[in-house]
Amino acid sequence: MSRPIIAVPADIREFDGVTWHAVQQQYIRAAVNAAGLLVLIVPAMEDGNDIDAILDRVDGLLVSGSASNVHPSLYGKEARESDGPFDPARDATSLPLIRRAIDRAIPMLAICRGIQELNVALGGTLASEIQEQPGIWDHRKPPNVDRDTMYSIRQSVFVKEGSCIARVVGPGEVRVNSLHRQAIADTAPRLQVEAVAEDGTIEAVSVIDAKAFAVGVQWHPEYWAETDSPSRKLFAAFGDAVRDYAAGKEQPSATPLRQQAI
């Protein structure tokens, strides 16, 4: 069987006065090299995307991180300038893709901005500038460092026993590279918390009623997916779920993969 294809929603970027639809290479590299998949970049459009037509042509969805944030109006809050930058075209693309992928039992892995989009798509809210809250660490990237140092594995999260991610990386303490200034505030009703940081910040979730792999992580497993064991295992599990889904499309009578079988 040929490699399955996953969709990755793009961000809008401006270079020399020209608008580009872009995805960071670290996500594509991890999908190809660590998960064994091929990638279709979905243009970020505020209207005009046919979500079901896109999902008809792929076997999984990877929702990447980004420098932009989900617009607060999408979870019932007023936007402040400090909450930005925003990318309304990315919001309009990712959130419907997330909802329909879950509805159609298409495997999904959501990373950084992706876990925040997953929470908002299912009715949750986000907290901004979490480092200003009492008792919460500064999870932001270190200033003025190279990318390897920026994405260094330096923080512990605690994976809940019996969770979906525990069956992939094991329960208990896992060292990760988490870089963010926003986080889940109110968890969407359909999400189960899978892992938290030492300060209580939610670092991983899964979709409770999903009929396929549907996991979100706040950290960046894509960056070290070829060398770090937990990162590699997470992408490998996603890749396996995507291959199972692709095989099921070729055999319509096959039973959909459930999260519990990760």
Side-chain angles (χ1 to χ4, degrees), residues 50-134:
D50 186 330
I51 299 302
D52 277 309
I54 293 167
L55 293 175
D56 285 344
R57 289 160 172 80
V58 300
D59 306 299
L61 174 65
L62 174 62
V63 191
S64 71
S66 174
S68 65
N69 292 321
V70 178
H71 199 279
S73 64
L74 295 171
Y75 49 93
K77 293 188 178 181
E78 186 174 344
R80 304 170 301 175
E81 185 176 350
S82 61
D83 293 330
F86 302 121
D87 186 344
R90 163 74 185 251
D91 294 339
T93 302
S94 291
L95 270 64
L97 280 170
I98 288 169
R99 296 187 189 106
R100 286 300 291 151
I102 294 169
D103 290 344
R104 294 178 54 165
I106 295 174
M108 175 183 59
L109 176 59
I111 296 172
C112 195
R113 187 195 212 268
I115 189 179
Q116 297 170 12
E117 289 172 303
L118 171 59
N119 190 52
V120 171
L122 298 183
T125 66
L126 304 177
S128 299
E129 307 302 341
I130 58 171
Q131 70 280 354
E132 297 176 1
Q133 297 181 12

Side-chain angles (χ1 to χ4, degrees), residues 178-232:
S178 194
L179 308 169
H180 56 104
R181 61 187 179 91
Q182 288 194 320
I184 291 175
D186 299 312
T187 307
R190 293 176 67 186
L191 293 183
Q192 169 179 286
V193 176
E194 297 259 318
V196 296
E198 290 185 71
D199 62 2
T201 300
I202 294 172
E203 290 283 341
V205 297
S206 64
V207 180
I208 295 169
D209 55 352
K211 295 180 174 61
F213 186 104
V215 167
V217 296
Q218 186 62 71
W219 67 87
H220 287 273
E222 83 287 348
Y223 198 84
W224 301 109
E226 295 176 64
T227 56
D228 172 63
S229 179
S231 300
R232 184 176 65 250

Side-chain angles (χ1 to χ4, degrees), residues 140-155 176-179 223-224:
R140 293 175 297 178
K141 64 184 180 182
N144 305 317
V145 296
D146 61 74
R147 286 186 70 79
D148 282 358
T149 303
M150 181 189 305
Y151 284 93
S152 62
I153 296 171
R154 60 182 174 273
Q155 177 182 321
V176 301
N177 50 352
S178 194
L179 308 169
Y223 198 84
W224 301 109

